């Protein structure tokens, strides 16, 4: 990324990242299918247990449009 560029638009491996926790299972107990993000390079996911609930924690570049949509929804 060029010096002076907006870090909120950076979706490279060097971008600042943020995470969002998503339900791993629907209300019927079926697992959700996970696909890699096509909008940012640092995307990755991990399975976590928070207060006894299994969640999928997705990591995205903070400037990623999909991440912005997830945190605003």
């Amino acid at each position: 990324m060029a010096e002076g560029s907006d870090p909120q638009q950076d979706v490279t491996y060097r971008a600042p990242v943020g995470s969002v926790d998503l339900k791993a299972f629907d209300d019927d107990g079926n697992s959700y299918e996970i696909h890699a993000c096509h909008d940012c390079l640092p995307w990755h996911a991990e399975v976590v247990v928070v207060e006894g609930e299994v969640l999928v924690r997705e990591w995205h570049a903070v400037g990623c449009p999909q991440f912005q949509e997830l945190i605003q929804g």
Side-chain angles (χ1 to χ4, degrees):
M1 191 165 112
E3 189 173 323
S5 296
D6 183 358
Q8 292 297 322
Q9 301 300 315
D10 186 4
V11 292
T12 67
Y13 284 117
R14 293 173 43 171
V17 296
S19 67
V20 61
D21 289 345
L22 305 169
K23 291 176 63 174
F25 302 96
D26 66 19
D27 293 335
D28 295 325
N30 301 308
S31 59
Y32 288 106
E33 192 170 338
I34 300 170
H35 296 275
C37 181
H38 296 285
D39 293 326
C40 69
L41 293 175
W43 179 90
H44 64 281
E46 62 184 326
V47 176
V48 295
V49 178
V50 177
E51 297 178 7
E53 184 176 8
V54 178
L55 302 171
V56 174
R57 179 168 293 155
E58 285 193 12
W59 295 85
H60 293 261
V62 295
C64 172
Q66 296 221 20
F67 179 66
Q68 291 300 316
E69 185 177 313
L70 285 168
I71 63 174
Q72 292 174 10

